[in-house]
Amino acid sequence: MTKFIFLLLPFLAFSQKTEIIDLSKSIKGNKANYKSFTVLDKRSNPEIGSVMYHKDQVYMVFENNAETDFKNWFYKYNPVRGNDELVLLLENIALTDDRQEKFSIGKLEIRASTFIRKEDGYHFLYRKDTVTTVSSRTTPYLAQSLSKKLTLTFTELMKKSYEAKQWDFAVSENELPDYSTVLKNKLEILKTDELKEGVYKDYYSFFTHNPEPGFTIETDKKGVVTKAVNGDKKEPIRNFYAFVHNGVPFKVIPVGYVEIFRDEQGLFIEAKKEELYPESSSPMIMLGGGVAGIIGSVVANVAITAIDAKAAKKRSALAGSEVILDPMTGNYILPEGFMKK
C-alpha cells in the first residue's frame, strides 16, 4: 500500500484548475438595433490554453463554449429588434505561459472581427487584434487577470462595432478566412498614384479615398496647414484623421501632423512615442486652430508645436520608428518595443 501511495505522489503534486471567463460586463448598444446575433468560431484550436499558478496548471475556459457564451452575453444586454444581423467572427484566442527562472509571463492573443450580414455578403465593421501580457511579478493570478482582459477586449470590440461604419465592400462566406486581404485589395488609396486633395474625416473615408466634399485646406504664413474651410465653415486640422495637400498625404497626430508613406505592405508613418502618446506635461502641444510652427520638418516631414528650443532639440535627436496604419481600424500597429523607447 505504501508503494502505491508513493507512486501517486508525483501526480498529486501537479494538479489542474480552470478559470471560467466571466462575460458579465455590460455590452448594451444604445443606438444599435439587431434582429439576430451570430457567432462564427473559426479558431484553429477551440482550446484557449493555460498558465501556471504555483504548482497548478490553470486553464482558461468558457462556461459552456464560445458560441453559446457570446450569444448569451449579447442577448442579455441587447433585446432582439431592428433589421440587421450582427456577426462575430472568432479568429484566435490563445493563452500561453512563458516560464522564467523566478517568474512567468502569461500572454493572451486575441483576434476577432464583426460584420453585418446582408444578401450580398458580410460587411466589415470592426476588429480587435491584440496581444496582452501579464507578469507573475505583478500578480500571481495570471489566469484571472488575463481572463478579465479578455472580457474587456471583447467589450470594447462590441461597443466599437455598434458605432462603426459598415464597409460598402462585401466579402462572401468563403472569403471570410482571408477577409482582410480581400478588403485591402479593394482599397484605392493603396493603389493609386494620384491622391485626391482635401481632408478626410475618419480612417474609413481616407482608406476608401473619399475626402470631405467642399473643403479646401488653409495654411498660415509659414505654409503650415492649420484649417479646412468650406464656405463660412472652418475646422481646425486636428479634427480630421488625415489630409492630402499638394499631392502629399499627412496623418494628423496629437502634436501636429506627419507625412504618410506607402510600400508593398501598406501605409505607414515615421514617428516617436512622444508624438503619438504625449504626456500631459509634454512641451509639445497642439494650439488653437492647428500647428503653431514647424520643427524638423525637413528631416522628419513632421509639423509640431514646441514652446521652447529644448523641445525642438530633443525631438531632432530622437530617431522615429515606422508605425503602420491599420486599414481595418485606422489604429496604429506599433513596432516591437515602441512604447519602451
Side-chain angles (χ1 to χ4, degrees):
M1 187 60 146
T2 305
K3 181 178 181 181
F4 180 71
I5 295 175
F6 174 78
L7 291 173
L8 282 178
L9 286 177
F11 298 94
L12 294 174
F14 181 81
S15 61
Q16 297 180 0
K17 294 185 177 181
T18 58
E19 175 67 33
I20 298 175
I21 299 168
D22 180 18
L23 296 177
S24 61
K25 193 173 179 63
S26 174
I27 52 170
K28 181 180 180 180
N30 294 326
K31 298 181 180 180
N33 297 317
Y34 302 103
K35 67 177 181 181
S36 64
F37 178 65
T38 301
V39 179
L40 300 178
D41 192 352
K42 300 297 184 181
R43 294 175 294 158
S44 59
N45 185 358
E47 303 296 329
I48 297 176
S50 63
V51 291
M52 291 297 295
Y53 173 66
H54 297 307
K55 295 182 179 181
D56 295 326
Q57 194 85 19
V58 184
Y59 287 82
M60 187 184 295
V61 298
F62 288 101
E63 184 175 4
N64 300 289
N65 57 66
E67 181 179 356
T68 300
D69 289 3
F70 277 114
K71 291 183 72 172
N72 289 343
W73 187 29
F74 177 83
Y75 287 124
K76 177 181 178 181
Y77 293 100
N78 298 278
V80 176
R81 60 184 184 272
N83 300 312
D84 291 330
E85 179 181 350
L86 181 62
V87 177
L88 172 64
L89 175 65
L90 301 178
E91 302 168 73
N92 184 39
I93 305 176
L95 176 64
T96 55
D97 192 5
D98 181 14
R99 300 172 194 171
Q100 306 294 323
E101 184 177 351
K102 295 183 178 180
F103 66 96
S104 61
I105 299 175
K107 181 171 75 172
L108 179 64
E109 300 176 63
I110 297 175
R111 182 181 174 91
S113 307
T114 52
F115 301 81
I116 294 293
R117 179 151 59 188
K118 296 185 175 182
E119 291 183 358
D120 61 341
Y122 295 80
H123 292 256
F124 177 79
L125 286 174
Y126 200 73
R127 81 170 175 191
K128 292 292 291 184
D129 189 1
T130 66
V131 177
T132 302
T133 59
V134 175
S135 172
S136 61
R137 285 176 168 175
T138 57
T139 175
Y141 307 104
L142 296 181
Q144 185 181 72
S145 177
L146 290 169
S147 177
K148 290 179 180 179
K149 290 182 181 295
L150 182 148
T151 300
L152 290 174
T153 297
F154 277 96
T155 299
E156 182 182 1
L157 171 62
M158 299 306 298
K159 290 188 174 182
K160 290 280 188 180
S161 299
Y162 303 150
E163 304 168 354
K165 174 181 173 60
Q166 60 181 272
W167 284 44
D168 292 330
F169 315 127
V171 295
S172 67
E173 189 162 353
N174 291 334
E175 292 173 324
L176 272 179
D178 198 30
Y179 74 89
S180 59
T181 300
V182 174
L183 291 178
K184 286 178 184 178
N185 288 337
K186 296 181 179 182
L187 296 177
E188 184 184 357
I189 197 77
L190 301 179
K191 297 179 286 187
T192 184
D193 292 327
E194 296 185 11
L195 301 179
K196 297 177 183 178
E197 294 280 315
V199 290
Y200 296 80
K201 193 67 176 178
D202 50 36
Y203 86 93
Y204 180 78
S205 64
F206 178 66
F207 279 98
T208 55
H209 207 198
N210 291 304
E212 293 295 298
F215 278 91
T216 58
I217 290 174
E218 185 178 283
T219 64
D220 64 12
K221 294 179 180 180
K222 296 180 180 180
V224 177
V225 174
T226 57
K227 297 181 181 69
V229 181
N230 185 359
D232 295 331
K233 185 178 183 180
K234 294 185 178 182
E235 287 197 44
I237 203 66
R238 67 172 180 270
N239 289 353
F240 298 92
Y241 178 81
F243 63 91
V244 176
H245 183 50
N246 294 331
V248 181
F250 295 91
K251 173 72 177 71
V252 177
I253 60 176
V255 296
Y257 54 85
V258 60
E259 185 175 352
I260 299 172
F261 302 97
R262 185 176 71 188
D263 61 14
E264 64 278 1
Q265 301 297 321
L267 302 182
F268 67 94
I269 61 176
E270 293 181 352
K272 305 171 181 64
K273 180 184 71 174
E274 291 81 0
E275 294 166 339
L276 299 186
Y277 305 100
E279 298 178 3
S280 58
S281 59
S282 171
M284 296 184 290
I285 55 175
M286 202 78 169
L287 300 177
V291 182
I294 296 179
I295 305 296
S297 60
V298 175
V299 177
N301 295 302
V302 86
I304 66 171
T305 297
I307 61 174
D308 58 32
K310 289 183 179 180
K313 185 176 181 180
K314 179 180 179 181
R315 190 204 177 278
S316 61
L318 296 172
S321 301
E322 289 189 6
V323 177
I324 298 172
L325 302 180
D326 183 3
M328 310 306 296
T329 63
N331 296 334
Y332 302 124
I333 300 178
L334 304 176
E336 186 176 356
F338 182 84
M339 297 303 293
K340 296 180 180 179
K341 293 182 178 181

